[in-house]
Amino acid sequence: MAKTYLSRILWVLSVLLLFWGTPVSAAESYSELFIKITDATTAVKDGDQAKAKELVEELQADFASKTNHDSEAGKKSESGLGNRGGSDREQVDSGFSGDFGL
């Protein structure tokens, strides 16, 4: 078994690491954007073009309200969400397959 002073040092180090190591959490959640992307893709697969356009418009508005939407990665993402003149399967997939950098 370890010496008593070694046990105390390990105990103190453990307590310090517990308080020093704070959990990391995201400053902003993007999960609702990914849900809308999935819903829009599903609407296109089902042939519901009106619903897909509506979801893409909502997605654009929601993305514009995010804090870092005007960063370099945000501009790339926004260009993928830009008006493409339609909402068929290839256009939706190509709009969502870019490097979002989120």
Side-chain angles (χ1 to χ4, degrees):
M1 187 109 197
K3 303 261 184 190
T4 306
Y5 69 92
L6 289 177
S7 296
R8 287 182 185 163
I9 290 173
L10 288 175
W11 179 255
V12 170
L13 286 176
S14 298
V15 170
L16 286 175
L17 286 175
L18 178 68
F19 289 113
W20 186 52
T22 58
V24 177
S25 62
E28 194 168 12
S29 173
Y30 295 96
S31 62
E32 70 276 359
L33 297 178
F34 290 107
I35 291 170
K36 286 190 183 187
I37 290 170
T38 303
D39 291 346
T41 304
T42 303
V44 169
K45 284 180 184 176
D46 294 343
D48 191 355
Q49 300 298 319
K51 181 70 174 175
K53 278 190 177 214
E54 176 186 332
L55 287 167
V56 169
E57 288 170 4
E58 288 177 19
L59 183 61
Q60 289 171 327
D62 290 348
F63 183 76
S65 71
K66 296 296 180 185
T67 306
N68 294 325
H69 76 277
D70 56 350
S71 68
E72 184 178 331
K75 289 176 183 175
K76 284 183 182 179
S77 301
E78 202 163 22
S79 72
L81 294 173
N83 294 333
R84 299 183 176 271
S87 59
D88 65 8
R89 172 93 175 126
E90 289 177 7
Q91 289 170 330
V92 171
D93 285 345
S94 67
F96 299 140
S97 64
D99 177 20
F100 287 99
L102 300 175

